Amino acid sequence: MPQDTASPSSAAASTANDAPGKTVLIVGNGGREHALAWKIAASPRAAKVFVAPGNAGTAVDATNVPIEASDKEGILRFVKENQVDLVVVGPEAPLVAGLVDDLQAAGIRAFGPSAAAAELEGSKVFCKNLLRSANIPTADYQTFRTASDASRFIKDRYPDANQAVPVVVKADGLAAGKGVIVCATRSEALDAINRIAGVREFGEAGNTLIIEERLEGQEASVLAITDGETILTLPAAQDHKPAYDGDTGPNTGGMGAYCPTPLVDAEMMAKVERDILVPVVHAMKRSRRPFRGVLYAGLMLTSAGPKVLEFNVRFGDPECQPLLMRMQGDLLEIIEAVTEGRLGEVEPPGWDERPSICVVMASEGYPGDYEKGREIKGLERAAELPEVKVFHAGTQQVGGKVINSGGRVLGVTAIGNSISAAKLQAYKAVREIRWPGAWCRKDISDKAL
Ligand code: AMP
Ligand code: GLY
């Protein structure tokens, strides 16, 4: 029998009180962190789950504390004052800023890579160089320190101003997913170079830039949990980054995801593990940046096989939501084992065989400037639907009301006997929820069909 994935906390409730359970703090406030809080709170090992700063959804499934993810001192103080046993860091920025290093230096157990290991996401140049040195399939690339060098490269390589220029221009550093510009023409490439390294639209992230070959194919996300020795690969998921249906419109943080994706079959998964994940974990160890945490490979499934577009050093958002909806094992046990370097001793989790999908509902105007502070209605009715879990992202509780406070507001997640059944159920829940200006993509998971 498939487990009742829509309410994992029921199984845990009876054991949480009698076992001397763990106090866990999750850092972040997105849909990923709500899914983590929900899943970790369901563990029989969890006594208390805090989320800093959290959202209106984590306020229900856990306890929010008003500390920003960037506030290292505040987090350290809270952890000491509240005898927190384990900190789970959701987003990349605090990882790159060394939150895990600081917690560990203070004797506190923390899940996530060190700042040195988080460079894999924090610096695209570091990542590309590591991939090249370890012979891991990725797009060909060159790095540049100035806009003029990069522009000269484009003009020399593509002398005809009208010829196709299939390149991608990337800022080296973190730019909230925006520092990647996919180009088709010479003027687009030159404009992208100017935005990143000329006018510095992404600030210091553009101190170095990469020009790489533009790859063609479907994209997939393969995530693995690792303690630096053992790798636990999770089922493949597919994100939907462009804002509108049919993959049109501006890029976003991700408008929906489903899992597993049939685009990655068992044979390709084995190849991804053998040719990408294992060599990266080894290469990180060799470069004295042992990687512990979640390794997220963003892949392009090209006709020549899967190639790495990027690495992230954390769970994907929204991929985390459908993934955790299907995970049957104890995530907290796995996370604790990673922090103790004994992932190899833990039984891999089971997975609900049924697929799951997450549809992101967004605010009017997102991914540009968006409207906030509008009351969200229908959440209770959506929650009553079977096999549905509404994960919150940009929400806040104000008085008795839930309002939107971010661009991506909710991740409406459902599980079903087929991808289309899961899709139907997720959109049924979406239809129950309303606030002025709310919108979502209507075609999440269609790429699987
Ligand atoms: P990244 O943050 O590096 O994953 O890039 C964001 C998005 O840009 C990816 O999800 C792809 O859609 C696209 N992209 C990045 N690199 C390439 C590439 N070499 N070829 C084609 N598309 C790319
Ligand atoms: N869903 C893409 C990301 O988390 O980076």
Side-chain angles (χ1 to χ4, degrees):
M1 274 299 283
Q3 151 195 1
D4 177 9
T5 39
S7 56
S9 38
S10 54
S14 56
T15 46
N17 291 336
D18 25 275
K22 296 290 163 65
T23 299
V24 182
L25 172 69
I26 295 164
V27 174
N29 63 353
R32 163 183 51 216
E33 287 76 26
H34 187 189
L36 287 168
W38 171 79
K39 188 67 184 165
I40 289 173
S43 165
R45 293 163 182 264
K48 180 89 192 160
V49 179
F50 292 108
V51 187
N55 56 41
T58 59
V60 173
D61 288 318
T63 303
N64 287 351
V65 292
I67 304 171
E68 292 302 317
S70 56
D71 179 3
K72 265 190 207 172
E73 281 74 38
I75 290 169
L76 274 160
R77 202 177 317 118
F78 179 85
V79 160
K80 285 182 184 156
E81 284 169 2
N82 293 276
Q83 282 97 42
V84 170
D85 299 297
L86 171 72
V87 179
V88 177
V89 183
E92 62 276 16
L95 291 168
V96 171
L99 178 57
V100 167
D101 309 67
D102 292 359
L103 287 163
Q104 284 172 347
I108 298 149
R109 201 166 276 184
F111 177 73
S114 64
E119 280 271 276
L120 202 53
E121 177 168 359
S123 166
K124 291 187 189 292
V125 173
F126 172 80
C127 178
K128 293 294 283 192
N129 289 344
L130 184 109
L131 294 174
R132 184 184 271 169
S133 69
N135 217 358
I136 294 165
T138 190
D140 281 341
Y141 69 101
Q142 301 249 17
T143 62
F144 301 91
R145 290 209 167 269
T146 66
S148 56
D149 286 352
S151 303
R152 194 170 323 115
F153 169 80
I154 290 290
K155 287 175 184 161
D156 288 349
R157 182 138 176 204
Y158 304 98
D160 178 354
N162 296 316
Q163 84 190 99
V165 179
V167 298
V168 182
V169 185
K170 302 184 174 185
D172 173 46
L174 290 185
K178 293 184 187 122
V180 172
I181 304 169
V182 180
C183 307
T185 65
R186 203 168 93 158
S187 64
E188 281 174 9
L190 295 175
D191 182 55
I193 291 167
N194 184 46
R195 285 173 61 193
I196 293 171
V199 300
R200 297 293 171 110
E201 200 173 306
F202 311 102
E204 288 192 2
N207 285 354
T208 307
L209 65 78
I210 294 176
I211 298 180
E212 66 178 42
E213 159 204 16
R214 181 170 149 189
L215 302 173
E216 302 290 339
Q218 289 256 27
E219 287 181 49
S221 311
V222 178
L223 282 70
I225 299 177
T226 179
D227 62 359
E229 302 291 333
T230 300
I231 295 176
L232 171 66
T233 307
L234 312 182
Q238 190 176 36
D239 190 9
H240 296 65
K241 283 188 179 146
Y244 310 132
D245 286 10
D247 279 348
T248 56
N251 225 29
T252 70
M255 294 302 297
Y258 66 96
C259 163
T261 172
L263 299 169
V264 181
D265 60 13
E267 194 186 330
M268 194 186 296
M269 199 64 159
K271 194 173 161 64
V272 169
E273 272 183 357
R274 189 188 61 224
D275 297 345
I276 295 173
L277 295 171
V278 170
V280 163
V281 170
H282 284 160
M284 291 298 284
K285 202 166 146 187
R286 273 199 309 277
S287 55
R288 297 185 199 285
R289 300 171 191 241
F291 192 95
R292 286 187 174 174
V294 178
L295 199 53
Y296 165 137
L299 304 173
M300 187 71 93
L301 309 176
T302 74
S303 54
K307 294 192 180 184
V308 175
L309 291 175
E310 63 164 346
F311 265 103
N312 294 325
V313 298
R314 44 154 181 96
F315 279 105
D317 189 343
E319 291 94 326
C320 184
Q321 291 85 314
L323 265 167
L324 294 189
M325 189 95 173
R326 295 185 56 230
M327 185 191 269
Q328 289 169 328
D330 183 344
L331 179 62
L332 183 52
E333 180 185 21
I334 294 168
I335 286 177
E336 284 190 293
V338 168
T339 63
E340 291 162 13
R342 48 172 192 80
L343 181 59
E345 294 168 18
V346 174
E347 194 64 29
W351 295 91
D352 193 317
E353 285 188 7
R354 298 171 301 162
S356 58
I357 116 163
C358 170
V359 176
V360 171
M361 296 180 74
S363 296
E364 184 172 7
Y366 178 78
D369 292 337
Y370 50 82
E371 298 292 330
K372 298 189 213 183
R374 294 173 168 173
E375 186 182 358
I376 303 170
K377 294 193 174 151
L379 287 166
E380 299 76 18
R381 274 200 307 282
E384 280 164 12
L385 290 170
E387 315 295 5
V388 167
K389 175 71 187 174
V390 178
F391 293 113
H392 289 230
T395 67
Q396 257 173 21
Q397 214 166 2
V398 177
K401 295 176 180 169
V402 176
I403 59 160
N404 69 329
S405 58
R408 292 191 294 171
V409 179
L410 299 169
V412 181
T413 309
I415 195 160
N417 287 330
S418 60
I419 291 177
S420 31
K423 180 184 175 193
L424 209 66
Q425 194 67 355
Y427 281 101
K428 205 165 158 186
V430 164
R431 279 198 302 278
E432 296 291 348
I433 301 170
R434 39 183 58 96
W435 72 89
W439 64 278
C440 64
R441 273 181 67 158
K442 301 288 187 291
D443 64 344
I444 301 303
S445 79
D446 286 359
K447 288 191 275 190
L449 306 173

